[in-house]
Amino acid sequence: MSFRHLLCLNDFFGEELESFLIDVAQFEAERSSTFNGVVAMFFPSTGVHNRQLFEQAALKLGLQPKMLPVEALEKGEYLKEVARSLTEWADVVVVEHPDSNIAYGLAENDAIPVINAMSDDGYPPEVLSVLNSLSETQGWHWPRYLFVAPVGNLAVEWFCASESIGFKFTQSCPDDLRVAGAYWETEIGDAIKKGRCCYRWPPRRACEATNGLSNHSQAARHGAGRRPANSLPRGCSRARAFRCRPRTPLIRRA
């Protein structure tokens, strides 16, 4: 038996991520099996949309979702011990918490598979679902992605995915709102010409934050730039950046 965690897409190497998406496509095509088990889901009371999506997905797979308040993980208990206790009745854990260290703490001793549903510096399920859809329509010829939005969990996760798979990720936004480390351009017109897929999220906040990309391109003509070799993505803690480095995958085999 083997399992792995879904904490950040940079935990996957390029071939592993492509192989995973192929397995997903085959499973969706066959629809011949379901799973028996329980999913422990830790969500905030305000995260209705994300919680419902995961609950519906679990039921569709034949799994029983058990909803728990995410605040229970902030009681000061050792997260490794919490993870061990969850193995007595749950088969997988899903966590949505602003601090990604909560998910990493539960996954530290590899007692049970952990999914980081969303945090302030990562959103792996969202980016993974988009990559899955794109792989179905464009195959494995990964195009150049243009991300029109300020720094945030999605921008950082897209950057991590690009580092894993190797596609070109370009962000277009004002200089003070970019992900440190990502290739970026202030000229939105030039960025659109070079990119094949344009991704903007969330639409309303992205528009408000960028406040008219045509205006910012005129106000800040600094061209394109890359990060220094050792800089950290903005919004990531140093521990988070360390965990995002390429390393041995978290895989357990019996």
Side-chain angles (χ1 to χ4, degrees), residues 5 47 53 62 74 102 104 115 117 120 128 233 236 251:
H5 311 289
L53 289 177
E74 303 172 349
I102 296 293
Y104 278 100
I115 297 175
D120 282 350
L128 192 60
C236 287
I251 299 177

Side-chain angles (χ1 to χ4, degrees), residues 150-173:
V151 65
N153 55 5
L154 265 178
V156 172
E157 199 65 57
W158 271 106
F159 176 60
C160 288
S162 70
E163 294 281 284
S164 175
I165 299 178
F167 62 81
K168 184 175 181 180
F169 170 84
T170 301
Q171 185 184 17
S172 185
C173 68

Side-chain angles (χ1 to χ4, degrees), residues 101-216:
N101 287 315
I102 296 293
Y104 278 100
L106 290 170
E108 187 173 350
N109 63 354
D110 295 341
I112 189 170
V114 179
I115 297 175
N116 175 18
M118 185 170 65
S119 64
D120 282 350
D121 58 1
Y123 202 172
E126 171 68 20
V127 176
L128 192 60
S129 66
V130 175
L131 290 176
N132 183 46
S133 298
L134 289 173
S135 68
E136 295 175 352
T137 58
Q138 304 192 38
W140 304 111
H141 302 288
W142 299 102
R144 297 180 297 273
Y145 291 87
L146 172 62
F147 192 89
V148 185
V151 65
N153 55 5
L154 265 178
V156 172
E157 199 65 57
W158 271 106
F159 176 60
C160 288
S162 70
E163 294 281 284
S164 175
I165 299 178
F167 62 81
K168 184 175 181 180
F169 170 84
T170 301
Q171 185 184 17
S172 185
C173 68
D175 183 20
D176 60 341
L177 295 177
R178 70 187 180 106
V179 177
Y183 185 86
W184 69 284
E185 293 195 8
T186 55
E187 292 286 354
I188 181 63
D190 293 340
I192 290 177
K193 292 177 183 178
K194 297 176 183 178
R196 288 185 58 190
C197 290
C198 182
Y199 194 89
R200 188 185 75 177
W201 180 267
R204 179 177 299 176
R205 282 187 290 170
C207 289
E208 293 174 351
T210 52
N211 193 25
L213 290 172
S214 60
N215 293 332
H216 93 248

Side-chain angles (χ1 to χ4, degrees), residues 87-115:
T87 60
E88 298 178 3
W89 56 271
D91 299 278
V92 62
V93 178
V94 179
V95 182
E96 178 183 322
H97 193 280
D99 186 1
S100 60
N101 287 315
I102 296 293
Y104 278 100
L106 290 170
E108 187 173 350
N109 63 354
D110 295 341
I112 189 170
V114 179
I115 297 175

